[in-house]
Amino acid sequence: MALSHDAPLGESPAPTAVPAGQSAPADALAPVAQSAPADALAPVAQSAPADALAPVAQSAPAVASPAAGRPADALPKAPAPLVLALAFAQFGAYLAVLTPVMVTLALRVSQIVPEADRGAALGQVLSVGALLAMLGNPVFGALSDRTTSRFGRRRPWLVGGMAAGLAGLLVVALGGSVTVLVFGWAVAQLGINATLAALTSCVPDLIPPQQQARVSGVIGITTSLAMIGGSVLAQVFSGSMALAFLVPGAIGLAAVTCLAVVVKDRPARAGAFAPYSLKEFLRSFWVNPRRHPDFAWNFAGRFLVFTGASCVTSYQVYFLMDRLGYDDTAVTGKVLAGTLAMVVAIVVGSLLGGQLSDRSGRRKPYVLGSSLVMAVSLAMIASAQNFGMYVAALVVFGFGEGLYLSVDMALAAAVLPDPEESAKDMGVLNIGNALPQSLVPIVAPAFLAIGGGGNYGALFLFGAVAAVLGAVAVQFIRSVV
């Protein structure tokens, strides 16, 4: 895999897109980096040429920027096959990583660790994996931005990363100790996050501003469908823990391979980046908050909202077992039932939020509202004393999460500092997703121990407060309405 490194740091590459807020009109809310754009909701003629799948930077350079005299909503739209391939790849990648996070890792830990120690052991496995995911995502994003392979700069990381993730899941499935589980989950997280680093850059790379919220909504739905799919697979393969880990990983590999076939990727331009030195490695984790305050506020808001969400995804299995009294056999069915209810609400929130946000051209009100809805739902879970109350809280949580996912990606694309480094910058933003997965298992035992142990109310109220603070942080963004 070749990396571009011919130019010294700071050399300006030839412009391919106009970042928001410089010379584009007010409605250009996001960088239009090599946009290949297309309406996810519109049918595409079967005779559409293969070149329609290429980024606009290759196929229609004359209209790559609204600043060139063409309004943002007149830019060509991303073709439906590209949007569908992005959605399927997102589904597969999150199916591979969310199935263990939601269900199978907790069950695997409970098979090899005494009941009294399983909460701490699960926290150890999740936190180490999430820490490596947090570190790996921006690094892999920076390497993807620099890749000059003839296969393009995204394809090698999409497919290679998921293959490594599948190998890590195999180690987890066969491991017989917490140490082996930690190692296998670390490999899986690193591999899958290499895939996600390339995948998340595709929205700012290929989708025009006027479509980004709707396409983000479609992609957000697939993440929710992955939660359902993972719950179903955990139920179907409850008798074989190996298959419960490997089948989601294999589906993920097939899904990203489909995207690699569909997308007409391009290598990085030779000389566009400095050599990948220690300085560049450290720079992979940094975007100057003073130079890019809107990016920093979006990062803070995302970190806080995902802190609240991680309380649900990481501890729902033990909540159902410890507070509501379900055993190992029954809990997978209850997780599936709750996830189905939640995902229906996520779909509604995603579609509604994406459509309304794109039509109004506004992002912040929807992020604010969705974050507050998620906070309310976490407070509801904190007080739930039976499965019906728990499911009702998940429905509220799902609607808020769907609304958030559909709009926050468009908001993130609008505040990226440099379209040429979209994968690296999206990787930095994804630290806001991954870091809570590492921190919540570390701090959760302190909340659970309040009052003698098993205090899930304190844990979920902590999540609610975090979501409220996340809603407040986004309101300080100035370049997006």
Side-chain angles (χ1 to χ4, degrees), residues 419-436:
E420 280 291 310
E421 295 189 301
S422 59
K424 189 272 286 185
D425 293 335
M426 290 300 292
V428 174
L429 269 182
N430 280 331
I431 293 176
N433 305 10
L435 186 57

PDB file of all heavy atoms in Angstrom, residues 419-436:
ATOM      1  N   PRO A 419     -11.196  19.550   3.399  1.00  0.00           N
ATOM      2  CA  PRO A 419     -11.767  18.450   2.621  1.00  0.00           C
ATOM      3  C   PRO A 419     -10.731  17.431   2.154  1.00  0.00           C
ATOM      4  O   PRO A 419     -11.050  16.260   1.984  1.00  0.00           O
ATOM      5  CB  PRO A 419     -12.402  19.165   1.423  1.00  0.00           C
ATOM      6  CG  PRO A 419     -12.666  20.544   1.896  1.00  0.00           C
ATOM      7  CD  PRO A 419     -11.566  20.866   2.853  1.00  0.00           C
ATOM      8  N   GLU A 420      -9.478  17.847   1.937  1.00  0.00           N
ATOM      9  CA  GLU A 420      -8.443  16.912   1.506  1.00  0.00           C
ATOM     10  C   GLU A 420      -8.108  15.891   2.591  1.00  0.00           C
ATOM     11  O   GLU A 420      -7.576  14.828   2.307  1.00  0.00           O
ATOM     12  CB  GLU A 420      -7.174  17.678   1.118  1.00  0.00           C
ATOM     13  CG  GLU A 420      -7.210  18.293  -0.263  1.00  0.00           C
ATOM     14  CD  GLU A 420      -7.189  17.236  -1.359  1.00  0.00           C
ATOM     15  OE1 GLU A 420      -6.327  16.331  -1.323  1.00  0.00           O
ATOM     16  OE2 GLU A 420      -8.046  17.310  -2.257  1.00  0.00           O
ATOM     17  N   GLU A 421      -8.399  16.224   3.848  1.00  0.00           N
ATOM     18  CA  GLU A 421      -8.116  15.322   4.966  1.00  0.00           C
ATOM     19  C   GLU A 421      -9.402  14.901   5.659  1.00  0.00           C
ATOM     20  O   GLU A 421      -9.455  14.775   6.882  1.00  0.00           O
ATOM     21  CB  GLU A 421      -7.170  15.989   5.964  1.00  0.00           C
ATOM     22  CG  GLU A 421      -5.786  16.279   5.420  1.00  0.00           C
ATOM     23  CD  GLU A 421      -4.825  16.740   6.503  1.00  0.00           C
ATOM     24  OE1 GLU A 421      -5.112  17.763   7.145  1.00  0.00           O
ATOM     25  OE2 GLU A 421      -3.801  16.071   6.705  1.00  0.00           O
ATOM     26  N   SER A 422     -10.422  14.647   4.880  1.00  0.00           N
ATOM     27  CA  SER A 422     -11.725  14.341   5.471  1.00  0.00           C
ATOM     28  C   SER A 422     -11.693  13.072   6.308  1.00  0.00           C
ATOM     29  O   SER A 422     -12.326  12.999   7.365  1.00  0.00           O
ATOM     30  CB  SER A 422     -12.788  14.207   4.370  1.00  0.00           C
ATOM     31  OG  SER A 422     -12.442  13.181   3.452  1.00  0.00           O
ATOM     32  N   ALA A 423     -10.955  12.031   5.861  1.00  0.00           N
ATOM     33  CA  ALA A 423     -10.910  10.790   6.637  1.00  0.00           C
ATOM     34  C   ALA A 423     -10.212  11.006   7.976  1.00  0.00           C
ATOM     35  O   ALA A 423     -10.654  10.500   9.014  1.00  0.00           O
ATOM     36  CB  ALA A 423     -10.204   9.692   5.842  1.00  0.00           C
ATOM     37  N   LYS A 424      -9.100  11.775   7.974  1.00  0.00           N
ATOM     38  CA  LYS A 424      -8.402  12.052   9.235  1.00  0.00           C
ATOM     39  C   LYS A 424      -9.280  12.850  10.184  1.00  0.00           C
ATOM     40  O   LYS A 424      -9.412  12.516  11.370  1.00  0.00           O
ATOM     41  CB  LYS A 424      -7.096  12.810   8.949  1.00  0.00           C
ATOM     42  CG  LYS A 424      -6.189  12.962  10.171  1.00  0.00           C
ATOM     43  CD  LYS A 424      -6.460  14.193  11.017  1.00  0.00           C
ATOM     44  CE  LYS A 424      -5.974  15.452  10.345  1.00  0.00           C
ATOM     45  NZ  LYS A 424      -6.141  16.629  11.269  1.00  0.00           N
ATOM     46  N   ASP A 425      -9.932  13.894   9.664  1.00  0.00           N
ATOM     47  CA  ASP A 425     -10.755  14.745  10.528  1.00  0.00           C
ATOM     48  C   ASP A 425     -12.002  14.017  11.018  1.00  0.00           C
ATOM     49  O   ASP A 425     -12.418  14.193  12.169  1.00  0.00           O
ATOM     50  CB  ASP A 425     -11.130  16.028   9.788  1.00  0.00           C
ATOM     51  CG  ASP A 425      -9.921  16.918   9.519  1.00  0.00           C
ATOM     52  OD1 ASP A 425      -8.942  16.809  10.274  1.00  0.00           O
ATOM     53  OD2 ASP A 425      -9.951  17.707   8.560  1.00  0.00           O
ATOM     54  N   MET A 426     -12.606  13.194  10.163  1.00  0.00           N
ATOM     55  CA  MET A 426     -13.729  12.381  10.626  1.00  0.00           C
ATOM     56  C   MET A 426     -13.253  11.368  11.668  1.00  0.00           C
ATOM     57  O   MET A 426     -13.982  11.023  12.599  1.00  0.00           O
ATOM     58  CB  MET A 426     -14.394  11.670   9.452  1.00  0.00           C
ATOM     59  CG  MET A 426     -15.170  12.588   8.511  1.00  0.00           C
ATOM     60  SD  MET A 426     -16.530  13.488   9.308  1.00  0.00           S
ATOM     61  CE  MET A 426     -17.663  12.155   9.674  1.00  0.00           C
ATOM     62  N   GLY A 427     -12.003  10.907  11.518  1.00  0.00           N
ATOM     63  CA  GLY A 427     -11.441  10.020  12.530  1.00  0.00           C
ATOM     64  C   GLY A 427     -11.300  10.704  13.876  1.00  0.00           C
ATOM     65  O   GLY A 427     -11.560  10.107  14.923  1.00  0.00           O
ATOM     66  N   VAL A 428     -10.877  11.964  13.858  1.00  0.00           N
ATOM     67  CA  VAL A 428     -10.809  12.722  15.107  1.00  0.00           C
ATOM     68  C   VAL A 428     -12.200  12.860  15.720  1.00  0.00           C
ATOM     69  O   VAL A 428     -12.390  12.668  16.925  1.00  0.00           O
ATOM     70  CB  VAL A 428     -10.175  14.108  14.867  1.00  0.00           C
ATOM     71  CG1 VAL A 428     -10.238  14.961  16.130  1.00  0.00           C
ATOM     72  CG2 VAL A 428      -8.720  13.965  14.419  1.00  0.00           C
ATOM     73  N   LEU A 429     -13.192  13.177  14.874  1.00  0.00           N
ATOM     74  CA  LEU A 429     -14.558  13.268  15.385  1.00  0.00           C
ATOM     75  C   LEU A 429     -15.030  11.934  15.953  1.00  0.00           C
ATOM     76  O   LEU A 429     -15.756  11.895  16.952  1.00  0.00           O
ATOM     77  CB  LEU A 429     -15.514  13.712  14.270  1.00  0.00           C
ATOM     78  CG  LEU A 429     -15.761  15.208  14.099  1.00  0.00           C
ATOM     79  CD1 LEU A 429     -16.767  15.444  12.989  1.00  0.00           C
ATOM     80  CD2 LEU A 429     -16.243  15.851  15.396  1.00  0.00           C
ATOM     81  N   ASN A 430     -14.612  10.844  15.325  1.00  0.00           N
ATOM     82  CA  ASN A 430     -15.046   9.532  15.793  1.00  0.00           C
ATOM     83  C   ASN A 430     -14.440   9.160  17.141  1.00  0.00           C
ATOM     84  O   ASN A 430     -14.910   8.213  17.787  1.00  0.00           O
ATOM     85  CB  ASN A 430     -14.725   8.468  14.745  1.00  0.00           C
ATOM     86  CG  ASN A 430     -15.750   8.435  13.634  1.00  0.00           C
ATOM     87  OD1 ASN A 430     -16.913   8.771  13.846  1.00  0.00           O
ATOM     88  ND2 ASN A 430     -15.333   8.056  12.439  1.00  0.00           N
ATOM     89  N   ILE A 431     -13.388   9.888  17.555  1.00  0.00           N
ATOM     90  CA  ILE A 431     -12.927   9.708  18.932  1.00  0.00           C
ATOM     91  C   ILE A 431     -14.070  10.054  19.893  1.00  0.00           C
ATOM     92  O   ILE A 431     -14.213   9.436  20.948  1.00  0.00           O
ATOM     93  CB  ILE A 431     -11.688  10.588  19.203  1.00  0.00           C
ATOM     94  CG1 ILE A 431     -10.496  10.097  18.386  1.00  0.00           C
ATOM     95  CG2 ILE A 431     -11.338  10.590  20.688  1.00  0.00           C
ATOM     96  CD1 ILE A 431      -9.264  10.970  18.519  1.00  0.00           C
ATOM     97  N   GLY A 432     -14.877  11.042  19.501  1.00  0.00           N
ATOM     98  CA  GLY A 432     -16.034  11.390  20.321  1.00  0.00           C
ATOM     99  C   GLY A 432     -17.039  10.271  20.434  1.00  0.00           C
ATOM    100  O   GLY A 432     -17.797  10.200  21.412  1.00  0.00           O
ATOM    101  N   ASN A 433     -17.084   9.364  19.433  1.00  0.00           N
ATOM    102  CA  ASN A 433     -17.938   8.176  19.520  1.00  0.00           C
ATOM    103  C   ASN A 433     -17.281   7.078  20.350  1.00  0.00           C
ATOM    104  O   ASN A 433     -17.936   6.414  21.164  1.00  0.00           O
ATOM    105  CB  ASN A 433     -18.208   7.591  18.127  1.00  0.00           C
ATOM    106  CG  ASN A 433     -18.785   8.588  17.152  1.00  0.00           C
ATOM    107  OD1 ASN A 433     -18.848   9.782  17.411  1.00  0.00           O
ATOM    108  ND2 ASN A 433     -19.191   8.094  16.010  1.00  0.00           N
ATOM    109  N   ALA A 434     -15.976   6.861  20.102  1.00  0.00           N
ATOM    110  CA  ALA A 434     -15.291   5.712  20.680  1.00  0.00           C
ATOM    111  C   ALA A 434     -14.870   5.925  22.125  1.00  0.00           C
ATOM    112  O   ALA A 434     -14.915   4.990  22.931  1.00  0.00           O
ATOM    113  CB  ALA A 434     -14.064   5.366  19.832  1.00  0.00           C
ATOM    114  N   LEU A 435     -14.448   7.144  22.468  1.00  0.00           N
ATOM    115  CA  LEU A 435     -13.956   7.384  23.819  1.00  0.00           C
ATOM    116  C   LEU A 435     -14.998   7.064  24.899  1.00  0.00           C
ATOM    117  O   LEU A 435     -14.644   6.458  25.923  1.00  0.00           O
ATOM    118  CB  LEU A 435     -13.465   8.827  23.947  1.00  0.00           C
ATOM    119  CG  LEU A 435     -12.787   9.212  25.259  1.00  0.00           C
ATOM    120  CD1 LEU A 435     -11.597   8.303  25.534  1.00  0.00           C
ATOM    121  CD2 LEU A 435     -12.344  10.682  25.222  1.00  0.00           C
ATOM    122  N   PRO A 436     -16.283   7.421  24.706  1.00  0.00           N
ATOM    123  CA  PRO A 436     -17.261   7.030  25.727  1.00  0.00           C
ATOM    124  C   PRO A 436     -17.369   5.517  25.921  1.00  0.00           C
ATOM    125  O   PRO A 436     -17.619   5.046  27.029  1.00  0.00           O
ATOM    126  CB  PRO A 436     -18.580   7.609  25.186  1.00  0.00           C
ATOM    127  CG  PRO A 436     -18.155   8.764  24.349  1.00  0.00           C
ATOM    128  CD  PRO A 436     -16.873   8.326  23.696  1.00  0.00           C
TER     129      PRO A 436
END
